[in-house]
């Protein structure tokens, strides 16, 4: 059996160390290039990206002969980038796109809830609409139902999640955690990792925010009544109001994985029941109904495929002649 000498072991360890260092440089330079692409001012974007790759190349070239210098160079670059990255703060004061111009806030007096900036747009197309923001009064004692809506637009594994609260007078108010686009911006999954968007909580009428998806965008939308006790339903509603007021006081960034439409629902639910288990289907939100089915939060008296089929509402919504009584139309088989 061959015995590896001490000198050979050192050479192997040195090779491994240099490989790990170069891998770290490449990963750091790639991350910084994306961060600069989404955050650096336009005039500095490409020069900054080029400079990052130049620093990385220098570190890789000198690591063989002067590893301490290469390490110091990389550490200095990482500290400078960390300082810059931490200096980027979320804001509630930008030139927002019309549909996210206002986040909802709430005034709570016992069971009497006043929601400020409830969206009730009249959509003709995604670009042609009447922007209407209104104030709504709700009696928490008359809360009767909670529905989860999943909206799929391309990849069936990815869905937008909304929660609708129904009251005894027939009204529904929907809460949706969304990216807060500035005027002229478009959604980007990658940008959501790099502080591209703030997070906003929108409250809206179903004839606005759900109909936009079923009738205007022609997305595949499903509605699942949640099996919650009155106490849990009430607590979930109040948790949305607390989150809305918190975002108005202290803005946050949207994050594609950790702070999106579905993870916000999960975090709010965990405030009520910390024992709710984490699951990959919370991240891959197109499979969220499977998660709800497994935990008995939606009906389980039928096979899941049938539950999914009965939950589809887009065809019902598109058959409704007008937005009037939209909530009844999407709930009528």
């Amino acid at each position: 059996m061959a015995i590896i000498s001490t000198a050979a072991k050192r050479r192997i360890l040195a090779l491994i160390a240099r490989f790990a260092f170069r891998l770290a440089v490449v990963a750091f330079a790639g991350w910084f290039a994306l961060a600069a692409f989404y955050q650096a001012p336009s005039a500095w974007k490409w020069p900054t990206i080029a400079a990052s790759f130049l620093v990385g190349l220098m570190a890789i070239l000198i690591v063989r002969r002067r590893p301490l210098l290469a390490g110091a160079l990389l550490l200095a670059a990482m500290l400078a980038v960390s300082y810059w990255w931490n200096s980027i703060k979320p804001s509630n004061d930008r030139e927002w796109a019309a549909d996210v111009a206002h986040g909802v806030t709430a005034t709570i007096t016992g069971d009497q809830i006043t929601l400020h900036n409830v969206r009730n747009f009249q959509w003709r197309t995604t670009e042609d609409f009447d922007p209407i923001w209104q104030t709504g009064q709700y009696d928490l004692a008359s809360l009767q139902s909670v529905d989860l809506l999943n909206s799929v637009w391309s990849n069936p594994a990815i869905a937008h999640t909304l929660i609708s609260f129904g009251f005894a007078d027939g009204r529904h108010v929907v809460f949706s955690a969304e990216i807060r686009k500035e005027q002229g911006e478009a959604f980007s999954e990658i940008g959501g990792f790099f502080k591209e968007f703030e997070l906003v909580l929108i409250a809206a009428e179903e004839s606005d925010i759900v109909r936009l998806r079923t009738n205007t965008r022609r997305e595949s939308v499903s509605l699942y009544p949640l099996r919650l006790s009155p106490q849990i339903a009430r607590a979930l509603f109040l948790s949305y109001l607390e989150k809305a007021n918190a975002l108005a006081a202290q803005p946050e960034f949207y994050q594609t994985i950790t702070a999106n439409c579905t993870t916000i629902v999960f975090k709010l639910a965990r405030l009520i029941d910390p024992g709710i288990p984490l699951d990959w289907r919370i991240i891959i939100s197109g499979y969220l109904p499977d998660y709800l089915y497994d935990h008995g939060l939606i009906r389980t008296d039928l096979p899941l495929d049938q539950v999914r089929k009965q939950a589809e509402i887009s065809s019902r919504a598109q058959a409704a002649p007008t937005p009037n009584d939209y909530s009844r139309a999407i709930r009528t088989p």
Side-chain angles (χ1 to χ4, degrees):
M1 180 176 178
I3 298 176
I4 301 176
S5 67
T6 300
K9 290 179 180 178
R10 288 176 177 171
R11 286 194 297 272
I12 292 171
L13 289 175
L15 286 171
I16 293 172
R18 285 198 293 271
F19 175 78
F21 179 83
R22 289 165 179 164
L23 186 63
V25 169
V26 171
F28 171 71
W31 179 90
F32 179 66
L34 285 169
F37 180 82
Y38 286 104
Q39 289 296 334
S42 297
W44 288 91
K45 182 177 296 184
W46 293 110
T48 302
I49 292 172
S52 74
F53 281 106
L54 179 61
V55 170
L57 179 61
M58 290 172 59
I60 288 174
L61 290 176
I62 65 178
V63 66
R64 184 179 181 87
R65 298 185 180 279
R66 306 186 67 180
L68 291 179
L69 177 59
L73 183 65
L74 180 61
L75 179 61
M78 293 178 72
L79 288 173
V81 168
S82 178
Y83 177 81
W84 165 71
W85 188 247
N86 288 327
S87 72
I88 302 171
K89 305 295 183 184
S91 174
N92 280 329
D93 185 21
R94 304 190 195 278
E95 295 295 326
W96 304 115
D99 59 327
V100 290
H102 304 287
V104 64
T105 58
T107 303
I108 306 170
T109 307
D111 281 347
Q112 301 307 307
I113 309 296
T114 302
L115 295 185
H116 310 280
N117 296 317
V118 178
R119 206 179 77 189
N120 190 19
F121 282 26
Q122 307 301 309
W123 299 90
R124 288 174 289 276
T125 70
T126 56
E127 303 296 330
D128 181 17
F129 51 83
D130 298 324
I132 301 170
W133 299 91
Q134 58 194 29
T135 298
Q137 304 287 336
Y138 302 88
D139 181 3
L140 193 53
S142 70
L143 177 61
Q144 288 190 332
S145 65
V146 184
D147 299 318
L148 180 140
L149 296 115
N150 247 24
S151 182
V152 175
W153 58 94
S154 58
N155 187 336
I158 304 299
H160 186 76
T161 303
L162 310 93
I163 300 292
S164 178
F165 294 89
F167 293 83
D169 60 5
R171 291 187 301 157
H172 294 77
V173 61
V174 182
F175 290 95
S176 175
E178 305 198 0
I179 63 166
R180 199 169 195 185
K181 305 184 300 293
E182 295 179 59
Q183 293 179 13
E185 278 188 328
F187 175 67
S188 164
E189 290 90 349
I190 297 175
F193 288 102
F194 293 96
K195 299 183 178 182
E196 176 74 353
F197 311 106
E198 274 80 5
L199 177 70
V200 64
L201 193 61
I202 297 294
E205 299 286 341
E206 287 186 337
S207 56
D208 168 351
I209 202 165
V210 183
R211 191 171 187 271
L212 168 66
R213 289 167 166 81
T214 58
N215 290 48
T216 306
R217 296 180 184 168
R218 297 281 169 155
E219 297 175 4
S220 178
V221 182
S222 300
L223 183 150
Y224 298 91
L226 296 180
R227 300 169 65 182
L228 304 177
S229 69
Q231 294 78 14
I232 295 296
R234 175 189 178 97
L236 184 61
F237 186 82
L238 289 173
S239 70
Y240 268 99
L241 307 189
E242 292 170 5
K243 183 65 177 180
N245 287 342
L247 285 174
Q250 181 58 56
E252 299 177 16
F253 282 116
Y254 174 93
Q255 214 282 345
T256 299
I257 295 296
T258 61
N260 60 41
C261 61
T262 306
T263 57
I264 292 298
V265 177
F266 178 73
K267 290 174 183 177
L268 294 178
R270 265 203 164 171
L271 293 176
I272 301 164
D273 181 2
I276 295 175
L278 183 62
D279 192 288
W280 64 270
R281 291 168 294 187
I282 293 168
I283 306 299
I284 310 300
S285 50
Y287 298 100
L288 184 60
D290 305 48
Y291 173 87
L292 299 174
Y293 185 89
D294 287 348
H295 292 280
L297 293 171
I298 58 177
R299 64 180 300 181
T300 56
D301 57 324
L302 295 173
L304 178 58
D305 286 346
Q306 291 185 38
V307 174
R308 279 182 169 273
K309 184 67 176 176
Q310 292 186 8
E312 296 172 359
I313 64 169
S314 292
S315 58
R316 301 177 209 164
Q318 291 160 15
T322 69
N324 297 331
D325 208 10
Y326 178 84
S327 295
R328 183 196 58 80
I330 62 176
R331 290 173 173 83
T332 302

